[in-house]
Amino acid sequence: DGGITQSPKYLFRKEGQNVTLSCEQNLNHDAMYWYRQDPGQGLRLIYYSQIVNDFQKGDIAEGYSVSREKKESFPLTVTSAQKNPTAFYLCASTKPGATEAFFGQGTRLTVV
Amino acid sequence: QKEVEQNSGPLSVPEGAIASLNCTYSDRGSQSFFWYRQYSGKSPELIMFIYSNGDKEDGRFTAQLNKASQYVSLLIRDSQPSDSATYLCAVRALYNQGGKLIFGQGTELSVKP
């Protein structure tokens, strides 16, 4: 079945550590997105990528980094520079054009 | 000004009533508009999308778009307790303008039996 897989579902990070969230899709979609959601809030765009080897910052890119070496994969690294990383992280993908986004199941990151 | 704005709610309606959710956007170049439903702790799921001015109906849901006013809405008829969730409005720019997909802050809907 086609879809978007995020892993892990739950992730715990110690202060000062970098962690990487995985996002893989087999929908053959070109565009991929990372969003952050805090309790009671909407989705805020971190980074997005329209094609392989290219990506753009969203509204809250500070403290995060991404790569897009393969069409299927768009991992997100939460660096130690992100001072308040505890949140629900969602990965999405879309076909070119004006089509809807498909979401993964999300990763809940907690700083301990 | 936020790129996509929604009434924060919560919005409470009795079972069987019509729920009206509103959204405004700032980028006149936006081409496609989406309504997602999100249950607590889950990822968003698509309810409706609309590209052209006017109304689009799908079952109990009607999306309305007015590009001149930069306004999009979602009506839920015969609201059910199972409709209680957060509703997210999303707007996507043209692909050749970046194509980024921006969400509003969401409106929490509560349908009371």
Side-chain angles (χ1 to χ4, degrees):
Chain A
D1 288 337
I4 301 177
T5 302
Q6 288 187 244
S7 62
K9 187 174 181 179
Y10 298 97
L11 185 59
F12 297 90
R13 190 193 96 167
K14 293 182 179 179
E15 294 279 354
Q17 278 186 336
N18 292 354
V19 291
T20 297
L21 283 59
S22 171
C23 179
E24 303 278 334
Q25 54 98 0
N26 59 4
L27 299 166
N28 200 33
H29 286 174
D30 290 306
M32 297 186 74
Y33 305 80
W34 274 107
Y35 295 92
R36 169 181 172 143
Q37 187 173 37
D38 293 286
Q41 303 294 314
L43 277 61
R44 292 188 290 168
L45 183 62
I46 305 173
Y47 270 98
Y48 65 108
S49 169
Q50 301 281 48
I51 57 173
V52 175
N53 292 323
D54 188 42
F55 49 82
Q56 289 78 39
K57 293 182 179 180
D59 298 319
I60 56 165
E62 186 175 352
Y64 300 97
S65 66
V66 293
S67 63
R68 187 84 187 276
E69 297 177 359
K70 298 187 300 182
K71 188 175 185 178
E72 301 80 14
S73 178
F74 191 41
L76 173 74
T77 297
V78 184
T79 75
S80 57
Q82 172 50 241
K83 298 306 179 187
N84 186 22
T86 295
F88 187 45
Y89 290 86
L90 286 158
C91 179
S93 71
T94 66
K95 293 187 290 186
T99 57
E100 73 272 22
F102 293 83
F103 283 89
Q105 293 307 300
T107 293
R108 191 166 299 279
L109 173 63
T110 303
V111 173
V112 296
Chain B
Q1 181 188 8
K2 291 183 179 178
E3 292 183 78
V4 179
E5 291 202 60
Q6 297 180 244
N7 295 336
S8 58
L11 174 65
S12 183
V13 300
E15 184 175 357
I18 296 175
S20 177
L21 304 161
N22 304 316
C23 175
T24 58
Y25 60 95
S26 60
D27 183 5
R28 286 193 173 274
S30 302
Q31 290 295 304
S32 49
F33 308 87
F34 308 91
W35 282 100
Y36 285 82
R37 177 175 61 200
Q38 186 180 28
Y39 293 111
S40 181
K42 303 296 185 182
S43 54
E45 53 182 337
L46 182 71
I47 298 175
M48 297 277 292
F49 62 88
I50 185 166
Y51 302 149
S52 304
N53 276 330
D55 296 359
K56 179 180 180 182
E57 186 174 319
D58 184 1
R60 296 187 295 113
F61 299 95
T62 299
Q64 299 173 318
L65 174 62
N66 184 326
K67 288 189 177 181
S69 300
Q70 295 174 248
Y71 174 89
V72 59
S73 66
L74 178 70
L75 299 177
I76 306 175
R77 290 182 299 280
D78 189 23
S79 295
Q80 301 297 310
S82 59
D83 294 327
S84 297
T86 296
Y87 289 80
L88 298 162
C89 172
V91 175
R92 190 172 185 196
L94 284 171
Y95 184 83
N96 61 5
Q97 294 175 355
K100 64 179 182 178
L101 185 62
I102 300 295
F103 284 79
Q105 72 269 38
T107 299
E108 183 183 351
L109 173 66
S110 176
V111 181
K112 303 296 186 184

